[in-house]
Amino acid sequence: DIEDYTQRIYKKIFVKILKSSISDIPGRRPVIISLVLDKKGNIYDMKLKQSSGIKVLDNDLIEIVKKNEPFTPLPLVYKGNNIKVELNL
C-alpha cells in the first residue's frame, strides 16, 4: 500500500534526524521537502518547499535525505513510474 510505503520513508529519515542534533534546535520551524522517487527508490527530483529559516539546518536535512538514497523500491502493485512524497520534518 502506498501510504505504508511513504510512512516507511518518513520513519527512516526521521530516525536519522533524531540521532542528529537537528531535533534539539529550539523554536525551529518545520521543514518540508518534496521528493519524487522512481520505481527503484532513487530520488528523481527534490525541492525544499518550506525552509526552517536557518540555511545550515535546511542543508543538513537535505543531506540526511540524500544519504538515505536509494529508498525501498516502489511496491509492485503501484503502476506509476514515480511517486511524490512530502516530508514534513
Side-chain angles (χ1 to χ4, degrees), residues 47-82:
K47 292 186 175 118
L48 180 66
K49 290 191 73 179
Q50 179 177 304
S51 172
S52 66
I54 305 168
K55 190 166 181 69
V56 172
L57 174 62
D58 295 343
N59 291 339
D60 286 350
L61 287 170
I62 288 169
E63 282 305 308
I64 287 172
V65 172
K66 285 180 181 178
K67 286 180 181 177
N68 280 278
E69 183 185 25
F71 297 96
T72 307
L74 291 174
L76 294 175
V77 296
Y78 187 73
K79 300 299 179 197
N81 290 323
N82 54 49

Side-chain angles (χ1 to χ4, degrees), residues 20-38:
S20 72
S21 59
I22 292 172
S23 64
D24 297 334
I25 297 173
R28 75 174 183 88
R29 292 188 312 216
V31 174
I32 299 175
I33 297 175
S34 176
L35 299 174
V36 177
L37 303 175
D38 67 16

